[in-house]
Amino acid sequence: MAISILKGDITHQRVDAIVNAANSSLLGGGGVDGAIHRAGGPAILEECRALRASRYGRGLPTGQAVATTAGRLHARWVVHTVGPVYSETEDRSALLTSCYRESLRVAGELGAASIAFPAVSAGVYRWPAASAAEIAVAAVREAGTDIEDLRFVLFNDEVLEAFQRAIG
Ligand code: ADP
């Protein structure tokens, strides 16, 4: 698997799967979630609502992942995952690792060969950039996956540089 690091807006990526740093409601939010729903259009929200009405009545649990259509995005699927809110008193890194592992599992089961990840939890959920990047890179390196092309698409310089350092 080739891992690359890019700066930019993840909604502009042409890949099989775009990962969304969603919240457990699956009904949209700010940050990358808002950008994905705006760019992808209402079909994504419609499928998220259907998931809330069926499999995920109480929302998507933190650390898990689920796929929907990608609507108008240049992708086949959006894989929604819910990162943990950063805590100074509790180590939630296993949940953040799980976001990457589960997203790769879901995308791999669908047959995706390429995937783009944002820096899950590194925005509104306040995870420090250096740690978020180290956890992300370790998680994808450890995951057994058939995906060939994995991209981290980072929106700001601090997070971009943290990922560059983490990848070595
Ligand atoms: P979380 O709630 O998991 O912290 P956020 O969306 O608030 O999710 O932030 C996650 C990361 O996504 C942050 O580093 C933020 O700068 C970045 N981000 C926001 N918009 C985009 C976008 N359009 N493309 C890629 N990354 C984005």
Side-chain angles (χ1 to χ4, degrees), residues 8-100:
D9 182 338
I10 201 168
T11 65
H12 296 160
Q13 290 293 306
R14 290 177 182 269
V15 280
D16 291 332
I18 291 177
V19 177
N20 180 19
N23 58 55
S24 68
S25 80
L26 292 176
L27 301 179
V32 72
D33 195 6
I36 284 173
H37 282 284
R38 270 195 305 280
I44 301 175
L45 191 57
E46 218 168 277
E47 228 179 291
C48 286
R49 286 213 177 94
L51 285 167
R52 284 301 305 276
S54 56
R55 230 172 117 190
Y56 294 109
R58 305 167 82 176
L60 180 65
T62 304
Q64 296 192 24
V66 67
T68 65
T69 174
R72 295 194 295 258
L73 293 169
H74 300 293
R76 295 168 71 188
W77 305 283
V78 170
V79 175
H80 306 263
T81 191
V82 182
V85 175
Y86 182 72
S87 164
E88 278 174 8
T89 54
E90 190 187 2
D91 181 6
R92 298 178 180 167
S93 51
L95 286 168
L96 187 53
T97 296
S98 174
C99 287
Y100 289 95

Side-chain angles (χ1 to χ4, degrees), residues 143-163:
T145 173
D146 292 334
I147 287 169
E148 294 158 16
D149 169 0
L150 185 151
R151 309 169 189 181
F152 290 110
V153 183
L154 296 324
F155 207 52
N156 66 60
D157 286 328
E158 188 203 355
V159 177
L160 177 75
E161 284 159 21
F163 273 77

Side-chain angles (χ1 to χ4, degrees), residues 93-147:
S93 51
L95 286 168
L96 187 53
T97 296
S98 174
C99 287
Y100 289 95
R101 198 180 47 229
E102 288 300 301
S103 296
L104 285 171
R105 186 181 61 76
V106 166
E109 282 174 9
L110 289 166
S114 56
I115 190 165
F117 279 98
V120 179
S121 291
V124 172
Y125 285 178
R126 300 187 319 272
W127 207 290
S131 170
E134 278 163 22
I135 291 166
V137 169
V140 304
R141 280 180 173 157
E142 281 159 18
T145 173
D146 292 334
I147 287 169

